[in-house]
Amino acid sequence: MTRLGVIALAGTDNGGTYQYTLSMLQALRHTSGFDITLYGDPANPDFVALGYPIRAFTEPRGRQIASLAARSMHIGLPDPFVSEDILLAPIYSLSLLHTSKPFAFTLHDLQENYYPENFSRWTRFWRRQVYAHLLARAQRVICESSYVKNDIMRFFDVPEQHTAVITAPPLRQFLADQSTERLQETRLRLRLPEKFLFYPAQFWAHKNHLRLIEAFREVADEAPDLKLVLTGKQRDEYETVMDAIAKSGLGGKVIHLGYVAQEDLQSIYRMATALVMPSLFESVSIPIYEAFQVGTPVAASGILAIPEQVGDAGLLFDPTSVSSIRDAILKIIRDPEGARQFGQRGRERMLAMTPEHYGAELQNLLRELR
């Protein structure tokens, strides 16, 4: 039995990387030959529910800086994973720089190389140093798309044989059907309209809310009964987006729900006319997969790894063009049968992406670390 330590540092505030972590942990239940210990928050109910032994482990920024500085000066620090045989990290951990154990970690994207203006000079320097040191030590780096794999090879000169493209399926809870009564209760409680577009995203600049608002203003002229529903915490670019909504005269047509519980999120996807994903940068978009699971039509940015993810199961548009976003939305609402076919194709794609298949891919990767 191989002792496998999984370093799970992501929390609910980490958005997609937290969902990715849970998906990986669920898939590991479909592997064999591993004695798994989770390093993370023992009070996290999602972690507890998975049934793994949990060792309390955190990595505050001060500890990360100390780990990176020590590595740069060739100073060894105590190995927190000495009792394990191999290690797996869904997001990076700088404690991996001070272990003798073979490890793989996931590098989700290199967005700072595409949109440096969204990152401070310090953040860009920090990410460059972190990734360079970890990639030099890792036996394998996991990425979720060929696009990210090529970026890793391009920006860090990593040999192709050290990379592994393994796409994580989203959590499976959205595959279960919900009753009409449940959907109606959610609609009434959240005050959702009969027809609406859905965009679940934090208010980060690269999520491109402002162009979506401008495009939706033009859509609303043709479809006055259609609304736009947003989620996300009131931080980052939230005030800027709300100001744009008010100036566009869309105050009564855009609904902001804030944080949404998972069970409500499933209902919202099922009731939505379409998911619109205008993001300027995504390695893999979890909302697209969540929409696919319930058969909701998808219109998404035709950039980077998203075309690879969407295939023929959705409409793609240019996220830098307001008219392109508008036209994609209008095409979906004007052609209900075409939209239904997109939804069906998306659901079929998701039925093939199972935790069992993901677990088998992880098992093959982990065998290479022994």
Side-chain angles (χ1 to χ4, degrees):
M1 188 73 72
T2 301
R3 295 170 297 180
L4 168 62
V6 182
I7 301 95
L9 294 175
T12 54
D13 283 346
N14 294 111
T17 53
Y18 181 63
Q19 297 297 312
Y20 173 85
T21 296
L22 294 180
S23 182
M24 178 177 283
L25 291 172
Q26 288 187 355
L28 288 171
R29 299 168 75 176
H30 300 283
T31 61
S32 60
F34 300 109
D35 183 9
I36 299 173
T37 299
L38 194 156
Y39 289 75
D41 179 6
N44 183 322
D46 292 326
F47 291 170
V48 172
L50 290 164
Y52 299 117
I54 303 175
R55 293 190 180 179
F57 185 77
T58 60
E59 199 172 85
R61 182 48 64 95
R63 181 173 178 176
Q64 288 184 332
I65 292 173
S67 295
L68 184 59
R71 175 69 181 176
S72 300
M73 295 184 288
H74 306 287
I75 298 172
L77 297 180
D79 183 353
F81 314 116
V82 67
S83 61
E84 309 301 334
D85 296 318
I86 60 175
L87 300 165
L88 178 64
I91 61 172
Y92 74 81
S93 163
L94 287 175
S95 296
L96 292 169
L97 296 177
H98 298 279
T99 183
S100 61
K101 310 300 179 179
F103 69 87
F105 82 102
T106 301
L107 203 168
H108 290 277
D109 65 62
L110 295 170
Q111 182 188 159
E112 63 276 12
N113 291 280
Y114 291 87
Y115 293 98
E117 66 274 14
N118 292 344
F119 301 85
S120 68
R121 182 176 299 179
W122 160 251
T123 299
R124 296 197 302 272
F125 171 79
W126 172 258
R127 290 193 175 198
R128 180 75 189 180
Q129 294 302 307
V130 166
Y131 296 153
H133 282 280
L134 283 170
L135 289 168
R137 282 276 294 111
Q139 280 202 1
R140 292 289 186 276
V141 55
I142 303 170
C143 38
E144 290 201 86
S145 69
S146 297
Y147 201 100
V148 176
K149 169 188 170 179
N150 291 334
D151 274 356
I152 293 169
M153 295 167 58
R154 170 188 170 196
F155 291 115
F156 290 96
D157 200 26
V158 173
E160 184 171 9
Q161 63 269 25
H162 287 179
T163 66
V165 178
I166 305 177
T167 303
L171 302 178
R172 307 292 284 176
Q173 71 268 27
F174 286 6
L175 289 177
D177 286 332
Q178 290 182 311
S179 68
T180 302
E181 291 76 16
R182 166 68 184 176
L183 295 177
Q184 187 61 20
E185 184 277 327
T186 303
R187 188 188 298 277
L188 292 173
R189 176 165 43 83
L190 298 181
R191 299 180 181 179
L192 295 173
E194 288 296 321
K195 297 180 181 180
F196 63 92
L197 305 172
F198 188 38
Y199 185 32
Q202 298 292 349
F203 291 95
W204 295 321
H206 75 276
K207 293 299 184 179
N208 203 24
H209 285 85
L210 295 180
R211 286 193 183 94
L212 174 60
I213 296 303
E214 192 173 348
F216 181 67
R217 180 179 58 80
E218 298 181 19
V219 169
D221 290 338
E222 180 170 329
D225 58 341
L226 186 69
K227 304 291 178 65
L228 173 63
V229 173
L230 307 175
T231 65
K233 295 184 178 180
Q234 297 184 21
R235 62 186 188 190
D236 302 301
E237 300 295 314
Y238 170 79
E239 293 296 341
T240 301
V241 174
M242 293 301 113
D243 286 345
I245 291 170
K247 290 177 181 177
S248 298
L250 295 172
K253 293 182 177 292
V254 180
I255 300 166
H256 175 239
L257 298 178
Y259 171 79
V260 176
Q262 283 293 318
E263 57 270 22
D264 286 339
L265 192 60
Q266 178 182 359
S267 299
I268 296 168
Y269 275 114
R270 287 187 182 277
M271 292 184 287
T273 303
L275 171 77
V276 181
M277 176 58 61
S279 178
L280 296 170
F281 194 98
E282 298 290 333
S283 54
V284 166
S285 169
I286 289 177
I288 288 176
Y289 282 150
E290 291 173 337
F292 280 174
Q293 281 186 324
V294 300
T296 297
V298 168
S301 301
I303 49 106
L304 306 177
I306 292 183
E308 182 181 344
Q309 179 182 6
V310 171
D312 65 351
L315 284 177
L316 299 175
F317 55 74
D318 177 0
T320 67
S321 166
V322 170
S323 61
S324 183
I325 300 171
R326 176 201 64 209
D327 291 346
I329 295 171
L330 288 174
K331 186 172 183 179
I332 282 182
I333 64 176
R334 287 170 177 168
D335 184 8
E337 176 56 25
R340 187 194 65 77
Q341 291 179 8
F342 281 133
Q344 182 177 341
R345 289 178 200 154
R347 190 168 175 84
E348 289 170 354
R349 288 171 75 90
M350 296 316 304
L351 291 175
M353 291 182 65
T354 65
E356 292 82 1
H357 178 72
Y358 184 31
E361 291 185 297
L362 290 175
Q363 175 122 15
N364 291 335
L365 173 82
L366 293 169
R367 283 173 177 162
E368 298 175 357
L369 302 184
R370 299 181 185 181

